Amino acid sequence: MNIIDITDEELKNIDLTSFIKGEALYGNSDSSLENTFVKGKEFYLKMVQDRTQFTGGRVLDLLSGHGRWLPFLSAFNDEVIAIERIEKSQLLAKRLCDYFDIKNVKFLTGDVSLIENIKKETIDYVWLWSGLQYISRDYALNQVRRVLRPGGRIFVGAYNGPGLMIEHVKNGIKNGMLFEGASKWALTGLAKGPLDNGEPNFIDLDSCSEICEMYGFRLIVAASSGNIDITDSRNVERIEPASYVDGYVRTVEFIAEKK
């Protein structure tokens, strides 16, 4: 079954938990699997093909998780390399690719340092969705710059300080676990500020340009999640105004080009 041919309804109804025999992937309360394709096929196709224009190249999906983006990245590109450190997540990603009969994805299972196995300037695009905040930003972006070809592009979707980071803290307060688990992790990141390049980290709209300059990238566009559109010339080389949900931006996205 090809991702291009599948109907929107069929995609939304894929039961990913059946691929791993109903086991919890990221914890019993996590809803990631159920929400994987909830936005429908056109959203994901447009995000990869139109919004980012990542087509016709060699792509690195860094911290690819359980493979949400692999069917769409692989549909429009020659090769996709998926690096994921959680073995069970990578197993699910492989089974998802088998389901869609995808042949052009190479799986590397292990720490983010596996990026060092990729030769210098051999990647056209890097996709880093909801992963940067969990790893050393300094290490990751230096390695991304190394593997990208001149003019190659990176797409990042990451936690915003006043958004998901604060949400973790609020949940910790609500559950009496302010200095435990995800809440403690978020507090650590917030205390360091958006320009700290360690781990944990977060970005906000105001810091995107400076972070990109720091690592040899030219910022093309930054926006709150879901609002990037580089097919619209008005959006290129400027920061889009944030789209607020419940008073704050949950996540921030940016696209940048290697200088």
Side-chain angles (χ1 to χ4, degrees), residues 124-138:
D124 297 294
Y125 311 114
V126 172
W127 185 274
L128 214 177
W129 188 83
S130 196
L132 187 59
Q133 61 268 7
Y134 299 117
I135 56 178
S136 166
R137 190 160 69 194
D138 183 70

Side-chain angles (χ1 to χ4, degrees), residues 20 25 30 34 46 59 83-84 106 118 120 167 170 178 180 184 192 199 207-208 214 258:
I20 49 174
L25 191 61
D30 185 77
E34 292 87 342
K46 278 186 172 294
V59 183
I83 294 179
E84 172 53 39
K106 178 181 179 180
I118 300 175
K120 181 180 179 180
E167 194 170 298
K170 289 167 70 176
L178 178 60
E180 300 176 49
K184 179 182 178 181
K192 295 187 295 183
E199 182 279 322
S207 65
C208 289
M214 198 178 299
K258 179 179 174 178

Side-chain angles (χ1 to χ4, degrees), residues 45-57:
L45 291 177
K46 278 186 172 294
M47 189 161 177
V48 170
Q49 188 179 30
D50 295 341
R51 284 182 54 203
T52 66
Q53 298 182 345
F54 284 10
T55 59

Side-chain angles (χ1 to χ4, degrees), residues 46-54 125 153-155 218-223 227-238 240 254-257:
K46 278 186 172 294
M47 189 161 177
V48 170
Q49 188 179 30
D50 295 341
R51 284 182 54 203
T52 66
Q53 298 182 345
F54 284 10
Y125 311 114
R153 291 183 172 183
I154 179 174
F155 167 84
R218 177 182 69 88
L219 179 66
I220 295 174
V221 62
N227 289 319
I228 284 180
D229 182 5
I230 63 172
T231 63
D232 183 347
S233 60
R234 295 172 301 173
N235 287 347
V236 178
E237 296 183 348
R238 71 185 181 93
E240 283 294 277
F254 70 81
I255 299 174
E257 183 175 272

Side-chain angles (χ1 to χ4, degrees), residues 21-37:
K21 300 179 181 178
E23 297 179 46
L25 191 61
Y26 304 119
N28 292 326
S29 62
D30 185 77
S31 58
S32 296
L33 298 190
E34 292 87 342
N35 293 332
T36 296
F37 299 125

